[in-house]
Amino acid sequence: MVKSEITQLLQQALHILADQGVLPAGTSTPPQVTAARQPEQGDFASNVALMYAKAAGLPPRELAGRLVAACRQPDWLADIDIAGPGFINFRLAAQQHTAIIRKILDAGAQFGCSQLGQGQRVHLEFVSANPTGPLHIGHGRGAAYGSAVAHLLAAVGYTVHTEYYVNDAGRQMDILAVSVWLRYLQQLGESVPFPANGYQGDYVQDIAAALRQTHAGQYRQPVAGVLADLPPDQASGGDKERYIDALIARAKHLLGTTDYRTVFMAGRDRILEDIRDDLANFCVTYDQWYPEQDLFDQGKVQQALAQLEDTGYLYWQEGVCWFRSRALGDEKDRVLVRENGQPTYFASDVAYHLERLARGYTRLINIWGADHHGYVPRVKAALQAAGRTAEELTVLLVQFASLYEQGERQAMSTRSGEFVTLRSLYDDVGVDAARFFYLMRRSDQHLAFDLTLARSQSNDNPVYYVQYAHARICAVLRQAAEQRVAVTTAPAPLAALTDPHEISLLKCLARYPEVVVRAAQELAPHQVTHYLRDLARELHTYYNACPFLAVAATLRTARLQLILAIRQVLRNGLGLLGVSAPERM
């Protein structure tokens, strides 16, 4: 707000000097304006004179003097001066600092919001873990990040549609179905061996038990019929992948289409229900859950393949359908249809992205795990081949999160069953701590999640520190009510707010809208966590240095309005992160 106004002042001064011939005509590079690092430097500073000194043929300090002379100083600026080799410092008038309180109290929950993205529709897809097992803590980081990005984009005016792409068509789902069926047979007393690459978690046993309870022995098959003429398994020196594929084919043959589908859906639906519950409990909801199977049922995959064929980017070789992705920047061509006629995951992904764009979104955002980085070029290449642009898709990669308990890193493999679930994490440390910790670092940086710190109720715990700032303000307001001190949000004299702690807090509050915009533009919610920690630190320091109630009435009213504004910004910022703002701790 103020920063943009100072930028405009400098741009006007640059134009004046250009008209005077001091600067070349057409000077257009926007001047840089930043918050001053030290209070004695004022409130904002610019290096614009250093940027243009060479073009003007003048020493930076001399050019700075001419720029200052050309600036028409408004009443909201107390002073403009020159420092060092040619920096221009701006000091705000006292009333400009306190004006932020009125803006915050008037705007309330909308303070920090803007219409930057008005008219632009964004489709945001995140988590989208295969429904083959519970969500683990790696998924949790993507969930916290995706929902925070959605909140940020909505706060600055974008229309955001959030979606979970349910990968319910493909080999991994068939492996889950066979895993459930084999456990079901074992529970009925059949001594059928379990494959090395089946899903081995306890949740598979639970699904099998529910299937047996509902359908009794309806899907029972003698073990001899199940294993007859199968290739050797891994234990016998065979290929485990070939063995599991043969088991899938045998299950489909013995059960038939209808019964196999029942077993398949028993696993899919149970796990998907658990995923929905886990995410809802983690304060993550979606506008839509989109099944991959719908793409096949509605012919979208075949339409996408036909579209690529029409543009000349498909070719067949030895019964395999290939996409010429190397011609569009990928490292090699990619298979779309296997020799057995089955489309690959990539084929359905191409169809899904084209379908999303067909819905009219101006921008697609995918949030994927870092292990998918090699997948990005081929998807963008497919969009280009289909007549779209690579720029319509933004892919954000989330690095792995490692959970440490007493110095030991926890395993997270859904296939082996050795994983730490998201549910167990938030049951342990709480949803607020889990979300805040996930969001403290850039998403593309590795995260080591410290359980001991997340559990602690001390100022060393970042989320506790921020939430405690909010709770402290609420405690002061309760004390005011007990002492029958009026707390009003009506306009009041605020000139008494002159303490250095107060000026520092006012400056910090004024930064909040800029932080939200930058975090939204850069899709970087960690910037909000850093800001909230700064604001909390300023509040705690102020709380320990200055009384709020035992002062003169005018100063008391001003200080109470200041902490009301701080409370509102803490609430707003925590809300963007999906973290609560408790009133008591």
Side-chain angles (χ1 to χ4, degrees), residues 107-295:
Q110 295 302 305
F111 180 72
C113 296
S114 66
Q115 294 302 311
L116 177 72
Q118 187 174 24
Q120 299 184 58
R121 299 177 64 221
V122 175
H123 187 289
L124 177 61
E125 180 250 320
F126 61 104
V127 182
S128 299
N130 290 351
T132 54
L135 298 178
H136 57 60
I137 68 162
H139 299 130
R141 189 177 190 191
Y145 177 60
S147 60
V149 166
H151 295 159
L152 281 167
L153 291 173
V156 297
Y158 291 91
T159 300
V160 183
H161 178 90
T162 56
E163 193 159 293
Y164 189 114
Y165 179 50
V166 183
N167 295 110
D168 60 351
R171 183 170 179 267
Q172 293 304 316
M173 294 301 298
D174 283 328
I175 293 175
L176 174 66
V178 165
S179 300
V180 169
W181 184 55
L182 294 178
R183 292 303 190 196
Y184 162 85
L185 292 177
Q186 289 175 347
Q187 291 177 16
L188 290 173
E190 297 290 344
S191 298
V192 58
F194 198 83
N197 53 349
Y199 286 97
Q200 301 182 27
D202 289 342
Y203 65 95
V204 178
Q205 294 278 19
D206 294 340
I207 297 168
L211 186 68
R212 181 167 59 90
Q213 183 176 8
T214 304
H215 298 280
Q218 182 177 345
Y219 309 123
R220 185 172 192 164
Q221 293 287 334
V223 64
V226 175
L227 302 178
D229 301 321
L230 289 183
D233 61 10
Q234 187 178 28
S236 302
D239 184 328
K240 65 179 181 179
E241 301 300 338
R242 185 166 173 241
Y243 180 73
I244 195 76
D245 286 341
L247 268 175
I248 292 169
R250 181 60 50 81
K252 291 180 177 180
H253 172 71
L254 293 175
L255 291 173
T257 302
T258 301
D259 287 353
Y260 180 80
R261 188 65 181 168
T262 300
V263 174
F264 182 99
M265 295 303 289
R268 172 199 182 272
D269 291 350
R270 169 67 179 275
I271 292 174
L272 201 55
E273 180 182 358
D274 285 346
I275 289 174
R276 287 178 187 267
D277 289 345
D278 279 350
L279 290 172
N281 292 335
F282 198 53
C283 301
V284 178
T285 57
Y286 292 88
D287 296 312
Q288 186 172 353
W289 294 67
Y290 193 106
E292 180 186 0
Q293 187 61 46
D294 283 4
L295 295 170

Side-chain angles (χ1 to χ4, degrees), residues 7 17 22 87 192 201 242 275 300 306 336 362 401 411 435 478 501 504 530:
T7 301
L17 294 190
V22 176
F87 291 101
V192 58
R242 185 166 173 241
I275 289 174
K300 301 290 187 182
L336 287 168
T362 52
R435 288 185 63 100
R478 287 194 297 272
H501 295 98
S504 184
H530 294 171

